[in-house]
């Protein structure tokens, strides 16, 4: 499935990776490729909504690539557009670059589109977090403070990096970032898996032979708990076969053993910054929902009105859809339970529904209205698919309404309303 929407890209006029760009055009609905930043500026000032920007360093010197990236960062400084750098050079000295992600050539086109999708999802979650916090502010409710600040803060909140392997590059990595984060060494993949079950890490670096590194990568990605954990491989060389295999096994980036400290610093800080932003955003989404709800697990009609007002304004600014659903929950196979108070059925269903919707979707009980679900950035047709999935799971899940009672199955129907539909 191609990535819907518009992506813009900047590359040098002498770039020779034409096959890569042909593959990318087949994966993105609308891809604008420019060689001049003025052309990008003109696109951004138009009416077309750009979802992400790529800067490709193929065919450029280090100085040209750094200058183009910095010019792009200044251009989008007041816009919330993910920036991804495709690197084909080594940095000999530290550079002041702050992209959302860095990928090393030769990188497959589908890896780039996967990275774009991930950053678009993060942007949607951050927007929804801002909407909830704005509603809390209007209601005079103290907004939650993040336990996981993006840039650390407390000494025990510093980013934490794990280096897996025995090739001796731990001291090299520690020399680059040892004062800025906690670094833990794991000699084997099993040891890494064990450490990851004990605590949260912001990134993993695999300092192993290529075959062993691939095995470790497969092991970690097989655990659903670590599916989004940033992992970087240090390989003996950047040959096309090894690099492609690493990316297809869902490595976040690939570097060589000869990478400079500047290379390591850029890759590690960019990946860790984005990872911590994801973790903070998820935390704020959950805690702000808790703050909107009262002690009995419902949100007042006034609080929901304030929230929906901000959500609609945000959808209109971003030219994105917004759909709201009013769900009716009813017993599927137990007539005697049809007389139960609706609130009992709603609360039992809500626990299941919250596991079936995205973290940026809002699902809660609204006082005087019932079970409401809000789907930011989602057209009504897609919401119908989600409601069908919720109904199917409820019909096949036994729910105990009260202790000692026979479990029963529930079902759901929904009345969906498109609050905002982009033209």
């Amino acid at each position: 499935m191609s990535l819907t929407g518009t992506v813009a890209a900047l590359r040098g006029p002498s770039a020779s990776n034409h096959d890569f760009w042909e593959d990318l055009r087949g994966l993105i609905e609308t891809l604008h490729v420019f060689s001049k930043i003025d052309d990008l500026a003109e696109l951004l000032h138009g009416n077309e909504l750009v979802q992400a920007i790529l800067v490709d360093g193929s065919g450029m010197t280090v100085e040209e690539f750094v200058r183009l990236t910095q010019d792009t960062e200044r251009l989008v400084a007041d816009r919330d557009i993910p920036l991804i750098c495709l690197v084909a050079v080594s940095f000999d000295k530290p550079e002041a670059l702050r992209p959302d992600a860095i990928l090393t050539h030769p990188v497959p086109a589908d890896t780039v589109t996967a990275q774009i999708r991930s950053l678009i999802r993060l942007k949607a979650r951050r927007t929804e977090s801002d909407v909830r916090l704005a509603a809390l502010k209007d209601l005079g409710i103290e907004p939650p403070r993040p336990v996981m600040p993006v840039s650390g803060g407390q000494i025990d909140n510093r980013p934490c990096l794990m280096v897996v392997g025995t090739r001796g590059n731990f001291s090299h990595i520690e020399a680059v970032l040892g004062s800025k984060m906690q670094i833990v060494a794991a000699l084997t993949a099993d040891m890494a898996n064990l450490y990851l079950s004990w605590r949260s890490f912001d990134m993993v670096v695999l300092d192993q032979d290529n075959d062993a590194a691939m095995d470790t990568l497969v092991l970690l990605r097989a655990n659903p708990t670590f599916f989004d954990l940033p992992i970087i491989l240090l390989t003996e060389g950047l040959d096309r076969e090894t690099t492609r295999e690493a990316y297809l096994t869902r490595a976040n980036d690939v570097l060589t053993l000869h990478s400079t400290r500047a290379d390591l610093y850029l890759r590690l800080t960019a990946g860790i910054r984005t990872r911590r932003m994801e973790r903070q955003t998820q935390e704020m989404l959950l805690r702000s929902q808790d703050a909107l709800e009262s002690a009995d697990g419902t949100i007042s009609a006034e609080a929901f009105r304030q929230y929906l007002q901000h959500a609609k304004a945000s959808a209109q600014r971003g030219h994105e859809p917004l759909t709201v659903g009013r769900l009716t929950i009813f017993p599927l196979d137990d007539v005697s339970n049809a007389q139960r108070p609706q609130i009992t059925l709603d609360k039992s269903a809500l626990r299941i529904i919250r596991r079936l919707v995205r973290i940026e979707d809002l699902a809660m009980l609204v006082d005087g209205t019932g079970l409401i679900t809000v789907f930011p950035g989602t057209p009504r047709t897609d919401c119908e698919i989600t409601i069908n999935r919720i109904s199917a799971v409820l019909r096949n899940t036994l729910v105990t309404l009260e202790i000692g009672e026979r479990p029963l199955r529930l079902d759901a129907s929904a009345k969906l309303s498109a609050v905002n539909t982009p033209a």
Side-chain angles (χ1 to χ4, degrees):
M1 177 185 292
S2 64
L3 191 153
T4 58
T6 298
V7 174
L10 284 167
R11 65 172 183 171
S14 59
S16 59
N17 51 347
H18 302 299
D19 291 344
F20 166 79
W21 287 101
E22 285 301 314
D23 292 343
L24 201 60
R25 288 186 187 280
L27 294 171
I28 298 176
E29 182 181 51
T30 304
L31 177 63
H32 297 287
V33 181
F34 306 117
S35 58
K36 297 180 180 178
I37 195 166
D38 290 343
D39 295 331
L40 174 61
E42 183 178 350
L43 176 68
L44 294 177
H45 289 125
N47 295 324
E48 195 166 5
L49 182 66
V50 177
Q51 292 187 301
I53 296 175
L54 305 174
V55 178
D56 183 15
S58 296
M60 297 185 192
T61 64
V62 174
E63 293 75 16
E64 290 171 336
F65 175 70
V66 169
R67 184 166 58 251
L68 183 60
T69 303
Q70 290 176 339
D71 288 344
T72 306
E73 288 178 345
R74 284 190 288 269
L75 181 63
V76 300
D78 59 342
R79 303 169 186 267
D80 191 9
I81 303 176
L83 176 62
I84 302 170
C85 285
L86 307 179
V87 179
V89 292
S90 295
F91 300 97
D92 298 324
K93 63 183 189 324
E95 301 289 355
L97 302 177
R98 288 179 62 88
D100 295 287
I102 299 177
L103 299 170
T104 303
H105 277 306
V107 55
D110 49 5
T111 299
V112 176
T113 55
Q115 182 67 73
I116 294 173
R117 291 180 195 275
S118 175
L119 291 173
I120 290 174
R121 285 196 298 269
L122 175 57
K123 176 187 173 183
R125 291 177 175 181
R126 288 169 56 192
T127 300
E128 174 63 15
S129 176
D130 292 341
V131 166
R132 298 182 190 182
L133 293 175
L136 290 174
K137 182 178 179 180
D138 283 355
L139 293 164
I141 301 174
E142 183 69 22
R145 296 182 179 275
V147 175
M148 174 62 68
V150 173
S151 57
Q154 302 291 331
I155 187 65
D156 56 354
N157 255 336
R158 287 185 302 163
C160 193
L161 171 72
M162 181 191 295
V163 180
V164 184
T166 59
R167 291 192 301 188
N169 288 286
F170 181 86
S171 58
H172 180 57
I173 296 171
E174 191 174 35
V176 175
L177 288 170
S179 62
K180 299 180 181 294
M181 65 180 64
Q182 305 171 57
I183 304 179
V184 175
L187 299 182
T188 65
D190 289 338
M191 187 181 295
N193 213 21
L194 183 61
Y195 286 173
L196 286 165
S197 67
W198 289 347
R199 63 175 300 173
S200 295
F201 286 85
D202 294 285
M203 180 172 282
V204 172
V205 174
L206 302 183
D207 182 24
Q208 301 172 290
D209 294 337
N210 287 357
D211 290 342
M214 294 298 178
D215 291 342
T216 301
L217 183 57
V218 170
L219 174 68
L220 297 182
R221 290 302 189 215
N223 189 329
T225 307
F226 315 136
F227 79 96
D228 60 347
L229 178 66
I231 301 176
I232 290 180
L233 269 67
L234 290 178
T235 69
E236 283 93 352
L238 281 180
D239 63 275
R240 182 173 295 275
E241 182 179 348
T242 299
T243 304
R244 181 172 180 79
E245 183 181 357
Y247 278 126
L248 292 179
T249 317
R250 293 175 45 228
N252 291 78
D253 201 4
V254 183
L255 294 174
T256 71
L257 295 174
H258 309 293
S259 297
T260 64
R261 290 189 177 190
D263 274 330
L264 276 173
Y265 183 82
L266 269 178
R267 305 303 204 282
L268 295 174
T269 53
I272 289 171
R273 185 170 57 247
T274 300
R275 168 68 168 173
R276 288 177 75 86
M277 178 64 74
E278 289 174 346
R279 294 170 65 187
Q280 185 197 84
T281 302
Q282 291 182 15
E283 175 195 351
M284 296 302 288
L285 282 169
L286 296 173
R287 295 184 66 194
S288 57
Q289 175 167 298
D290 291 342
L292 283 168
E293 294 176 338
S294 62
D296 63 356
T298 64
I299 179 174
S300 70
E302 170 62 17
F304 182 71
R305 186 187 69 80
Q306 290 285 358
Y307 162 79
L308 194 57
Q309 178 180 330
H310 284 289
K312 183 177 180 180
S314 176
Q316 290 172 341
R317 284 194 303 270
H319 305 286
E320 295 178 340
L322 177 68
T323 306
V324 177
R326 163 72 171 90
L327 276 67
T328 300
I329 307 299
F330 51 90
L332 182 63
D333 53 5
D334 193 335
V335 177
S336 64
N337 277 287
Q339 304 302 317
R340 284 188 172 277
Q342 184 64 42
I343 191 71
T344 302
L345 300 177
D346 287 349
K347 282 190 173 181
S348 298
L350 184 58
R351 291 192 294 269
I352 299 174
I353 290 170
R354 282 183 172 166
R355 295 197 296 268
L356 297 174
V357 298
R358 304 167 304 179
I359 192 171
E360 61 266 32
D361 297 330
L362 191 71
M364 58 173 49
L365 290 170
V366 179
D367 189 28
T369 303
L371 183 52
I372 301 291
T373 301
V374 183
F375 301 94
T378 311
R380 180 172 175 169
T381 52
D382 290 351
C383 292
E384 290 172 352
I385 297 173
T386 301
I387 296 300
N388 290 338
R389 183 173 71 249
I390 289 172
S391 176
V393 172
L394 286 175
R395 289 197 303 267
N396 289 281
T397 303
L398 289 172
V399 176
T400 301
L401 299 182
E402 293 182 11
I403 295 177
E405 289 196 349
R406 181 172 64 87
L408 71 154
R409 291 178 174 84
L410 303 175
D411 202 350
S413 62
K415 180 180 180 180
L416 296 172
S417 175
V419 177
N420 188 64
T421 303

